[in-house]
Amino acid sequence: MRLCRLDEVLDGQARGFSVPGLQRKVILVRRGVSVFAYRDSCPHYEGGTPMAWKADRYLNGEGTHLACHSHGALFEIETGECVLGPCLGQRLTKVPVRISPSGDIEMVREPAEEELG
Amino acid sequence: MNIIGPDYLVFGVDDLVACSEFLTAFGLTPAGVDDKGGLFEALDGTGVIIRHKSDPDLPAPLPTATMLRQQVYGVRGDADIEAIAAELGKDRKVHRLADGTIETTDDFGFALKFQVTKRRKLEMPAEKINAPGAPAQRGPNVLGVWDGMPAKPRMLSHTVLFVPDIEVATGFYCQRLGFVITDVLKGAGPFLRPKDNDDHHTLFFIRTPEYMKGIEHLAFHMGGPTELMVAGSRFVKSGYESFWGPGRHKFGSNWFWYFNSPLGTHFEYDADMDKHDDEWIAREAPFGPEASQMFLLQHREKWVPGPGPAPKE
């Protein structure tokens, strides 16, 4: 499933995408030509909670980490591991994506049954 | 010790521009804000102060993710400052500042400041409702809602802290500073009001591991449930992220709507909180979804059923 074009996520920035059938958005973070994708779901509370403070605003002020703007938890962009905050040591759920030869960012597979809201 | 409640909450943030945008959109008004930050105030002058986290004028940070750097409590007069300084000076350093305020820390290291309150007295009507059997609060031709109606936070209402030990927290705030427990959610913690405030709570504790120590949320009083819904709906429409609500709590009876923020804590609109005096006997309930709210709703985009599809010819 196509989410957007690579050049629609600016280098060093993040964007959130609603995917039909998925309860939570998918976050894309771009670092150069690499794209990291996670579910917009902070692991602090059971069931997960949305992390942005405003549409597409998923990063901390310095742009070094994904942040949950509930309680300020910080997650490594490359691994999704929480390195500070209430869910210390837990991870964001990765979403498998690929960049197509034509420059589209695509989810590798359709959402699994248990992910459907 | 006539503590009224929080005058200001001070944050050390990593993005002053984002925080300024957020606080203004939430409905607070910049008061003397410059490129180093400043106060964003509610209608009565209470509010949130932001500085960059590296600002040397800020009290030291807690070793957690929290951006809260100081809670500034308003008291009635100079005698109350003296009483607090005498009491807390028994077992900790109390710094006296040139402006007559005092600074210290609580038993967990949360920085505190006490000042003769700077809040302005508000004289504004509460939301008015009409109901059969009762005199009309809104007379003929007085409208309940209209496009562009004001919905501004009136007053900093309360703070909720993640603390590692409830007994230590209540010991400090009740025995040392004269707060009163109004109700208890067992498994989370107690609701507290200071002596000189009849709101159900200005402070609530949630017991958490040490590494979570910090602020869970802060709240501002609105003029009523309609203002809360109007402000929250506008906030969502502008792209801000709802966390919980709208709904109505059981303990305190206040309406609520919580939002994520770039200050690493939730911002809550609240409205129509219960009042209590010393005759009140604290209730207890086990912490959980049932005890926490009377009802919980979820925002959706505006929609109207209309007449339905036109009949086929």
Side-chain angles (χ1 to χ4, degrees), chain B residues 270 290-291 293:
Chain B
D270 86 26
E290 189 51 44
Q293 55 227 314

Side-chain angles (χ1 to χ4, degrees), chain A residues 30-114:
Chain A
R30 183 173 161 194
R31 285 256 172 109
V33 293
S34 299
V35 172
F36 303 92
Y38 300 96
R39 294 180 68 188
D40 179 9
S41 185
C42 177
H44 176 196
Y45 291 120
E46 197 178 332
T49 55
M51 304 206 302
W53 62 269
K54 191 180 183 183
D56 297 330
R57 302 300 297 270
Y58 290 99
L59 301 179
N60 63 334
E62 287 96 350
T64 55
H65 290 80
L66 276 161
C68 175
H69 293 91
S70 273
H71 302 119
L74 296 181
F75 302 85
E76 286 184 344
I77 290 173
E78 293 79 4
T79 65
E81 184 178 342
C82 177
V83 292
L84 183 70
C87 34
L88 198 62
Q90 292 178 270
R91 280 173 192 272
L92 298 175
T93 306
K94 276 201 167 174
V95 175
V97 293
R98 66 183 167 216
I99 302 168
S100 75
S102 58
D104 287 331
I105 303 173
E106 301 170 341
M107 284 175 62
V108 171
R109 57 172 175 78
E110 298 302 307
E113 191 68 30
E114 65 269 18

Side-chain angles (χ1 to χ4, degrees), chain A residues 50 52 54-55 61-62 69-71, chain B residues 14 21 53 216 239 260-261 266:
Chain A
K54 191 180 183 183
E62 287 96 350
H69 293 91
S70 273
H71 302 119
Chain B
D14 62 1
E21 180 200 323
K53 64 181 182 181
E216 199 293 317
N260 285 358
S261 85
H266 296 127

